[in-house]
Amino acid sequence: MGRGKLRIYLGAAPGVGKTYAMLSEAHRRVERGTDCVVAFVEHHNRPRTEVMLHGLEEVRRREIEYRGTVFTEMDIDAVLERRPTVALVDELAHTNVPGSRNTKRWQDIEELLQAGINVVSNLNIQHLESLGDVVESITGVRQQETVPDEVVRRADQIELIDMSPQALRRRMAHGNIYTPEKMDAALSNYFRPGNLTALRELALLWVADRVDEYLQQYRGEHNIRSTWQARERIVVGLTGGPEGSTLIRRAARVAAKGSGSEILAVYIARSDGLTSASPKELTVQRTLVEDLGGTFHHVIGDDVPGALLEFARGVNATQIVLGSSRRKAWQYIFGPGVGATVARESRPDLDVHIVTHDEVAKGRGLPVTRGARLGRPRIIWGWVAGAVAPVLLTLLLTSLSDTLGLANDVLLFLFLTVLAALLGGLLPALASAAISSLLLNYYLTPPTHTLDIAEPRNLVALIVFVAVAVSVASVVDLAARRTHQAARLRAESEILSFLAGSVLRGETTLDALLERVRETFAMESVALLERMSDVDPWTCAGSVGPQPVSRPEDADVDMPVGDHMALALSGRMLPAEDRRVLAAFAAQAAVVLDRERLVGEASQARELAEGNRIRTALLAAVSHDLRTPLAGIKAAVSSLRSDDVEWSDEDQAELLEGIEQGADRLDHLVGNLLDMSRLQTGTVTPLIREIDLDEVVPMALGGVPEDSVDLDIPESLPMVAVDPGLLERAVANIVENAVKYSPEGQRVTVAASALGARVEVRVVDGGPGVPDEAKDRIFEPFQRHGDAPRGAGVGLGLAVARGFAESMGGTLTAEDTPGGGMTMVLTLAAAPGHLPARPELSARFTS
């Protein structure tokens, strides 16, 4: 059974009439005979809404007790058991009472859609996940109940219920929305004219973007490619800090302004980890970006700005969204920061957006928590503090007329040694201790300008100075190495956690997994190799990147997976500690490969089952539908050859006419069977040439009564690029099917029109029509719809027509005829050089 269709009524604020419009639609459908029920609708004590519930069947609700109070929620099992054609479900963003099957009502609706039940629901614009920050800044209220944008965008229909702010406030003042005691507070707070105007603009812009998406979908379905629009790819740089959610939502709003935009959130971890990253924040941000329809990527790179730019250019990104730095002012002495570096090194074709947030300049913790990798600038500053600064300090101290005393001199040099250790690590600190001790002894310890020491206490001071300096340097270096190890383990655990999550969700394909390996370890290419036995050659089961290796021996890094499979990486050598993570990727790659093969085998099994079904249907057709005309022909011939009866001339003519009709019918049935066989085996080879429709379509009407079809083929139509023979057979099958189901005395209309680089042929009948859920099924082989009698054909006409249309690069779809009936739309490619002039578009439009 197919998936149900979702229709959403979208409003800018409560009270615009979403539930009322939903119930009005339900009454219209019930009047048309549709099985429509109320699964869950809350009228909120609004009289006009409550009246609209009268006459509609309501499914019982489920009662749930929570903290001593009984609440009612939609009973999913009751709706599934009732199994209506259409179910009304109010408040798409509603959060269910704890104890319910699902957390959110949109998840309940997803179950109904999966069961093939059509759903009509409603939603306010402030409940969209990507607009949470914007709505809060407008109204001052943070919406706790939100719906992922992707859920709403997947809806088959979205209708905006629009109302001006003045009309909505009047409705509020008349008591049609809230009770009198709540009215004044609502009008002076949330329902202020400015708030309502801003929310209305958000709703209009969002729906306008959806209209553009529908237009692009229509152009794609009809293969209209006269214009080209670049695809926007927006990369969001995450640090694992609390500002990540703000950046993702801002990127989603930027992406929503352009059709087909894509969001890619990337977290760059150094090989020693980004220790300021919060695993909890990263998990929340990963879920958020996936809810908004984007993807999350985890990349390891020692140069964070360089890795971010390399990733962005690798995915052909057009924009990068980064947050303003959380560092305090004094921390800029270690460098300009990631944002400034990315903005400086990005080329003109890559825009960089620096977004402010609440965490700006609040700091990122103590320097030791940022990671143990000091970086080249810090090491240089460490050597300056350890080697150059002691010399400068010595010049300063010797130039003073009054000495500070050896104890104070030792403390000053000790400060430089500690500073060198903090900046550059162990080696600059040891060098500073050695240089400082020599300078103290030669220039500042009596007797000066000699390495001799006159007083024992001065010797003790120098020895303590060297011991303290070496101890501090050792402690700093040990802390850095321990931090390095801890941060690296956490970076590995982040990757393994993400990998485990993708495994449980079953989202990763082999190519995507290999691409993740390539991104994570910064490789040029990755290949999964396998062989049947130890003596067989290696074969490539999947690869990404340029020039993948064909043997594990040729790779820079290879990871065995079992006895006859290996993951081969090219680009650079990996340290030993990385092989643990690589082994997890390799094992998962083998699992994904097995899963894809099982899916392929299941698909082949389904194809065999479909073939068996077609063969069974063919036997049924041969046993009945083909024998019926043969029986008629046999009876007529036997009667003519009989010597017992003297047939008059009229009787003989009637019998001969019956033979002729049976032969024609048999020829038609056999022709469709042969055509279907050619389509199933892929042996249909169209001979495309340019031809006018008025040369082909009239010839296709020879099999129907002359007065049963109205033909409208304008002479101004462009020529089409088709196979005339296949087009004639396709049109003949479509027209014969339309005539068969049209009421007695009602003519079928065959009309053609030009649409861009396409030409449409519409065959319109006034028959009983076909429900939406059966429109695709009528194009399957051996399908009859409704109560079509046996002997009226084997159910191949439309299947053959669609197969011929697709073989010529066209399409055949079914639409409802206004007023009742079915319209078959045959879309064909216009011949190059014969395109019609582009029509002028009216300035007025509707959506």
Side-chain angles (χ1 to χ4, degrees):
M1 177 173 293
R3 176 183 171 87
K5 296 184 180 298
L6 175 61
R7 180 172 183 170
I8 295 177
Y9 288 96
L10 181 68
V16 296
K18 302 180 300 299
T19 304
Y20 191 94
M22 182 174 71
L23 294 173
S24 299
E25 174 66 15
H27 280 286
R28 286 193 293 270
R29 296 198 182 198
V30 169
E31 291 173 1
R32 294 197 299 263
T34 303
D35 183 14
C36 182
V37 302
V38 176
F40 189 98
V41 169
E42 196 69 62
H43 56 74
H44 298 290
N45 295 321
R46 297 169 186 170
R48 296 177 181 271
T49 305
E50 187 175 2
V51 168
M52 292 298 294
L53 285 169
H54 296 167
L56 296 176
E57 177 185 351
E58 295 190 50
V59 179
R60 70 175 187 275
R61 299 186 182 185
R62 180 188 178 194
E63 294 185 352
I64 301 176
E65 184 177 357
Y66 180 65
R67 293 182 177 177
T69 304
V70 177
F71 298 87
T72 60
E73 294 285 4
M74 180 174 65
D75 193 333
I76 304 175
D77 294 328
V79 179
L80 294 175
E81 181 180 357
R82 172 61 177 78
R83 199 164 193 81
T85 303
V86 179
L88 306 184
V89 183
D90 207 2
E91 299 177 353
L92 181 65
H94 172 74
T95 300
N96 293 329
V97 175
S100 302
R101 180 188 303 181
N102 297 309
T103 305
K104 295 286 188 178
R105 182 162 292 166
W106 64 264
Q107 296 170 326
D108 297 340
I109 292 177
E110 186 67 20
E111 287 195 35
L112 300 182
L113 295 173
Q114 292 291 345
I117 299 174
N118 300 323
V119 176
V120 181
S121 187
N122 54 44
L123 178 74
N124 283 326
I125 191 67
Q126 64 264 29
H127 295 297
L128 288 173
E129 178 68 62
S130 65
L131 299 179
D133 292 345
V134 178
V135 173
E136 183 180 9
S137 65
I138 295 171
T139 64
V141 178
R142 181 68 181 181
Q143 295 296 328
Q144 301 300 323
E145 295 185 329
T146 59
V147 178
D149 289 43
E150 188 62 19
V151 174
V152 184
R153 290 180 179 275
R154 285 201 304 264
D156 301 276
Q157 296 182 55
I158 298 177
E159 183 173 342
L160 177 65
I161 306 301
D162 188 28
M163 177 174 288
S164 68
Q166 295 78 11
L168 183 57
R169 284 173 59 84
R170 282 197 302 270
R171 179 178 289 183
M172 171 75 72
H174 293 159
N176 295 330
I177 301 178
Y178 292 153
T179 56
E181 58 267 23
K182 297 181 179 179
M183 187 186 308
D184 292 337
L187 287 173
S188 60
N189 291 284
Y190 193 91
F191 284 79
R192 294 195 302 268
N195 289 358
L196 297 178
T197 301
L199 293 174
R200 186 188 187 197
E201 182 181 12
L202 282 177
L204 290 170
L205 289 173
W206 196 89
V207 173
D209 289 341
R210 285 290 293 161
V211 172
D212 189 56
E213 291 179 16
Y214 281 135
L215 176 61
Q216 294 295 332
Q217 179 181 354
Y218 177 83
R219 291 168 61 85
E221 291 174 352
H222 291 76
N223 200 24
I224 301 173
R225 305 189 182 278
S226 56
T227 59
W228 172 261
Q229 182 178 358
R231 181 185 180 95
E232 290 283 348
R233 285 190 174 87
I234 303 172
V235 171
V236 185
L238 302 178
T239 64
E243 77 282 358
S245 298
T246 301
L247 302 183
I248 293 171
R249 291 192 178 96
R250 177 62 62 86
R253 294 197 292 272
V254 173
K257 295 179 181 179
S259 176
S261 299
E262 184 179 355
I263 303 175
L264 300 93
V266 58
Y267 168 56
I268 308 291
R270 291 190 178 100
S271 60
D272 57 359
L274 284 177
T275 56
S276 62
S278 166
K280 179 180 178 181
E281 291 288 349
L282 282 177
T283 301
V284 172
Q285 292 162 17
R286 180 188 299 124
T287 303
L288 176 60
V289 74
E290 290 174 353
D291 287 344
L292 294 174
T295 56
F296 185 91
H297 302 263
H298 192 140
V299 178
I300 290 181
D302 288 333
D303 181 10
V304 174
L308 180 60
L309 288 170
E310 183 179 357
F311 175 83
R313 291 174 179 136
V315 298
N316 294 323
T318 57
Q319 303 181 57
I320 297 178
V321 176
L322 299 172
S324 297
S325 178
R326 286 186 284 134
R327 297 191 298 176
K328 294 182 181 295
W330 65 269
Q331 292 176 311
Y332 281 95
I333 64 174
F334 301 118
V338 173
T341 304
V342 171
R344 184 181 67 247
E345 297 182 1
S346 63
R347 292 193 291 265
D349 58 344
L350 188 58
D351 298 333
V352 179
H353 303 269
I354 305 297
V355 178
T356 60
H357 49 85
D358 294 337
E359 304 297 322
V360 174
K362 289 187 176 179
R364 300 177 61 185
L366 296 175
V368 69
T369 64
R370 292 199 307 269
R373 185 183 183 275
L374 301 176
R376 186 180 182 88
R378 286 190 58 175
I379 294 177
I380 292 175
W381 280 108
W383 281 105
V384 169
V388 179
V391 176
L392 298 177
L393 179 61
T394 302
L395 292 176
L396 176 63
L397 293 176
T398 54
S399 64
L400 296 176
S401 58
D402 297 330
T403 61
L404 300 177
L406 183 60
N408 291 327
D409 295 339
V410 168
L411 289 177
L412 290 175
F413 279 97
L414 182 60
F415 169 75
L416 293 180
T417 302
V418 173
L419 181 63
L422 292 175
L423 290 175
L426 180 62
L427 292 180
L430 293 178
S432 176
I435 295 173
S436 297
S437 63
L438 292 176
L439 293 175
L440 279 169
N441 187 2
Y442 193 81
Y443 289 101
L444 301 174
T445 303
T448 59
H449 300 94
T450 178
L451 296 179
D452 296 334
I453 300 175
E455 299 182 14
R457 62 180 181 177
N458 293 337
L459 177 61
V460 172
L462 288 177
I463 294 175
V464 171
F465 165 76
V466 173
V468 170
V470 173
S471 299
V472 169
S474 300
V475 170
V476 170
D477 183 68
L478 179 62
R481 284 189 284 111
R482 292 292 183 265
T483 305
H484 169 86
Q485 294 171 0
R488 183 174 186 83
L489 289 175
R490 185 159 69 178
E492 291 180 0
S493 66
E494 289 282 346
I495 296 174
L496 293 175
S497 174
F498 183 80
L499 179 62
S502 64
V503 171
L504 294 176
R505 293 189 298 267
E507 297 174 348
T508 305
T509 63
L510 182 59
D511 288 343
L513 182 64
L514 296 181
E515 182 64 30
R516 181 61 55 82
V517 174
R518 191 170 74 93
E519 291 177 356
T520 300
F521 296 101
M523 291 293 179
E524 295 180 359
S525 64
V526 179
L528 183 63
L529 308 176
E530 63 175 347
R531 59 182 177 180
M532 299 300 296
S533 65
D534 294 338
V535 296
D536 290 325
W538 290 95
T539 59
C540 182
S543 64
V544 294
Q547 300 178 350
V549 298
S550 57
R551 298 187 309 163
E553 296 82 3
D554 300 331
D556 294 318
V557 180
D558 71 283
M559 174 61 64
V561 187
D563 295 332
H564 304 119
M565 188 176 293
L567 189 65
L569 293 76
S570 300
R572 66 185 182 93
M573 300 299 293
L574 285 181
E577 55 266 26
D578 283 342
R579 296 186 67 87
R580 177 172 50 188
V581 178
L582 183 60
F585 274 110
Q588 175 60 14
V591 172
V592 170
L593 179 61
D594 289 340
R595 185 172 65 231
E596 289 186 352
R597 287 176 174 172
L598 290 175
V599 170
E601 292 175 1
S603 177
Q604 293 178 359
R606 284 193 298 269
E607 292 178 0
L608 291 175
E610 178 66 14
N612 289 332
R613 187 188 68 81
I614 292 177
R615 280 191 290 271
T616 302
L618 177 60
L619 290 175
V622 171
S623 65
H624 185 279
D625 296 293
L626 294 183
R627 291 180 63 184
T628 299
L630 285 175
I633 295 173
K634 174 66 175 175
V637 171
S638 299
S639 298
L640 289 174
R641 294 187 62 187
S642 175
D643 297 333
D644 298 336
V645 181
E646 287 291 337
W647 301 103
S648 64
D649 293 340
E650 292 80 4
D651 292 337
Q652 290 182 5
E654 184 178 352
L655 291 172
L656 290 174
E657 183 181 359
I659 294 174
E660 184 178 10
Q661 290 177 353
D664 290 341
R665 183 175 165 192
L666 185 62
D667 177 68
H668 181 74
L669 294 175
V670 172
N672 274 339
L673 285 171
L674 292 176
D675 291 338
M676 196 69 237
S677 176
R678 292 166 59 200
L679 289 171
Q680 292 286 343
T681 56
T683 57
V684 175
T685 305
L687 301 176
I688 304 297
R689 66 183 182 91
E690 299 178 3
I691 194 171
D692 287 317
L693 276 180
D694 55 10
E695 297 181 26
V696 179
V697 175
M699 298 175 61
L701 307 182
V704 298
E706 294 182 0
D707 59 346
S708 61
V709 177
D710 288 332
L711 191 59
D712 182 14
I713 307 293
E715 295 182 358
S716 59
L717 281 180
M719 302 179 72
V720 292
V722 296
D723 183 317
L726 297 183
L727 177 60
E728 180 182 346
R729 291 298 302 275
V731 174
N733 284 358
I734 298 170
V735 173
E736 289 175 9
N737 184 79
V739 171
K740 181 194 309 179
Y741 286 98
S742 290
E744 186 70 25
Q746 186 169 349
R747 300 163 70 92
V748 172
T749 301
V750 179
S753 60
L755 179 65
R758 315 291 290 175
V759 175
E760 285 188 352
V761 179
R762 291 178 169 266
V763 181
V764 184
D765 68 65
V770 177
D772 291 341
E773 60 270 15
K775 281 187 172 62
D776 287 332
R777 194 165 62 248
I778 61 176
F779 293 103
E780 297 178 3
F782 305 105
Q783 292 292 326
R784 295 185 183 87
H785 177 65
D787 56 354
R790 299 287 298 183
V794 294
L796 287 175
L798 293 181
V800 170
R802 171 175 274 190
F804 283 169
E806 292 177 349
S807 69
M808 296 183 292
T811 60
L812 177 61
T813 57
E815 298 178 357
D816 291 329
T817 300
M822 178 66 62
T823 298
M824 292 292 175
V825 183
L826 176 62
T827 306
L828 305 169
H834 298 275
L835 301 181
R838 184 184 300 273
E840 294 295 331
L841 297 178
S842 172
R844 186 177 64 181
F845 68 92
T846 59
S847 64

